[in-house]
Structure formats: structure tokens, C-alpha cells
Amino acid sequence: MNICIIPARGGSKRIPQKNIRAFCGTPIIGYSIKAALESHLFEHVLVSTDDDQIAEVARSMGAQTPFMRPAALSDDHCATLPVIQHAITWAQSNWGSLDYVCTLYATAPFVTSHVLTAAYQQLIEQPQKEYAFGICPFPSPIQRAFRKTTNQGVKMFNPEYFNTRSQDLEEAFFDAGQFYWGKADAFLKGLNMFENHSLPIVLPQHLVQDIDTLDDWARAEAMFRANNSIKGTA
């Protein structure tokens, strides 16, 4: 059995009602639910929330909310892993043994059923891997990064690379913050995601945008509309 878990806590402060805020006309959590349902990979698409309004929206879009998340797992400082472990434990107690689990963020409007399916296929074809998750290349070489100094100047983190050509620098990646496929036991054991037992799924930069502020939100909507416009004229 495979299940999808979408963590969606209420009480977002920087973006009020972030997980159900309208994104290009649709509650943003709806894009994640739609991608999961259209993939046909899951016996259950479960939303873990502590918020009645989020639960109602999630159910209206086809997801299940079979429990309300405990308060201890719903504050600003709770990490994602304990939330996923709680949902897996509940699912195994009520639905039976699980094989693979996909953690899918509620604010991932660029994720598609195609990407979820491709990542799953790659993971099951490499049984030595515990996880598969989306990554994206940094747009600029991280070796050229610098900090602002206290005297209003700048200083490179790695000055030894000042004269190195960009094409000669090693490419670096960041977590795309969209989906995390994994074996159920790997999540329960708390295995670190950023290790050699994880399979990186490279996503293009035009399909990745972290959404933490209203500026991020506006940029993501502009990217989303531009992507759809290009698709419409292809």
C-alpha cells in the first residue's frame, strides 16, 4: 500500500491561511491534492491538519482527513518528520502495512502527477535507495557567495575561487521543497534525507519556487501563469 501525506498546519503568520489561500484562483493545497489523485499511485491521499477549515477544503478537493493532528505537533517549532511519523503510525494502525509514502507539501503548485510518477518509478527500480526527492540547481555558483561585513563591506565565503571560471565550479543544488518519496520504514526510523541513500530528482528552475513570504507568493503566481501561457501556445 502507498499513501500520500500532505502536512497542512493552520495558523500561518507570514501568509495568513497560507495552505488554503487562493493561488491563481484555486486554494493552493488543491494543486498538491490534484497531482496526487491524478497519479493513481496512492490508496489514500491524506491531509494532516489541526485546522477545521483546512480539513473542509481538503475534503472538498478529494483528500481524506481521517484525524485531526494533535496540538503537540501543530506549533510553529514542530518539524515535519514527527508529523509524517504520526500519520504513518495512524495509517498502519487503521489501514494496514505501508510500502511507500510520499510527503507532499501543501504549497507546491508546480508539482505534477507526471513528476510524482517518474520519481516513484526511479525509486522502486533502485531498492538500495530509501528516499527520492526533488532538487534544483542554484542559479549562481555558491562558491562565489559573499557576506556583508560589519563595516558595510563584503567578503567572500570562499575567496580561493575568486578567479575560477563559473563553468569550472562544481554545480550545487538545493531542496526543491515539493515532494519526498520514501519507504515507510525509512520515515519511521528518521533516516536523514540528505544522505547517499536518497535519490535526487532534478527539477528545472522554472518549476521551483519556495513560498514563505507574500513576495514569494506573487513571484510564484507570475511563474505559474507564464508556464501555463507557454503550454497554451506550444
Side-chain angles (χ1 to χ4, degrees), residues 25 47 70 134 163:
V47 172
N163 290 315

Side-chain angles (χ1 to χ4, degrees), residues 186-197:
F187 283 111
L188 291 175
K189 292 175 183 176
L191 297 184
N192 191 338
M193 189 74 61
F194 301 148
E195 295 289 349
N196 203 40
H197 53 231

Side-chain angles (χ1 to χ4, degrees), residues 8 30 40 68 77 82 92 96 112 116 120 129 178 183 191 197:
H40 301 293
M68 295 301 286
H77 304 290
Q92 292 193 144
T112 64
L116 294 179
Y120 175 64
K129 297 294 186 179
Q178 293 185 2
K183 297 174 182 176
L191 297 184
H197 53 231

Side-chain angles (χ1 to χ4, degrees), residues 31 37 57 64-65 72 74 79 100 107 124 132 158 162 187 192 194:
Y31 297 98
L37 292 173
V57 171
Q64 296 173 263
T65 57
S74 302
Y100 289 91
T107 53
I124 63 175
N158 302 105
F162 180 78
F187 283 111
N192 191 338
F194 301 148

Side-chain angles (χ1 to χ4, degrees), residues 133-156:
F133 70 103
I135 68 170
C136 187
F138 279 98
S140 300
I142 62 170
Q143 297 88 346
R144 293 279 181 80
F146 54 85
R147 62 170 66 89
K148 293 191 296 183
T149 60
T150 54
N151 61 352
Q152 297 187 342
V154 296
K155 184 175 183 179
M156 290 186 68

Side-chain angles (χ1 to χ4, degrees), residues 29-65:
I29 195 174
Y31 297 98
S32 297
I33 294 172
K34 181 174 184 284
L37 292 173
E38 289 185 348
S39 74
H40 301 293
L41 293 170
F42 308 106
E43 280 79 1
H44 301 277
V45 176
L46 180 161
V47 172
S48 171
T49 186
D50 61 324
D51 185 278
D52 289 334
Q53 190 175 4
I54 292 175
E56 183 179 351
V57 171
R59 288 192 298 270
S60 74
M61 308 198 85
Q64 296 173 263
T65 57

Side-chain angles (χ1 to χ4, degrees), residues 159-227:
E160 65 271 24
Y161 295 114
F162 180 78
N163 290 315
T164 305
R165 298 185 308 168
S166 296
Q167 60 265 42
D168 294 330
L169 295 170
E170 182 180 2
E171 190 172 25
F173 300 84
F174 61 91
D175 177 4
Q178 293 185 2
F179 65 87
Y180 306 86
W181 271 106
K183 297 174 182 176
D185 285 346
F187 283 111
L188 291 175
K189 292 175 183 176
L191 297 184
N192 191 338
M193 189 74 61
F194 301 148
E195 295 289 349
N196 203 40
H197 53 231
S198 291
L199 182 65
I201 308 298
V202 181
L203 304 176
Q205 292 176 6
H206 69 275
L207 294 180
V208 175
Q209 173 61 50
D210 197 20
I211 304 178
D212 284 326
T213 66
L214 289 173
D215 281 347
D216 293 339
W217 192 284
R219 185 180 300 109
E221 284 192 310
M223 290 168 58
F224 189 86
R225 292 191 181 100
N227 287 332

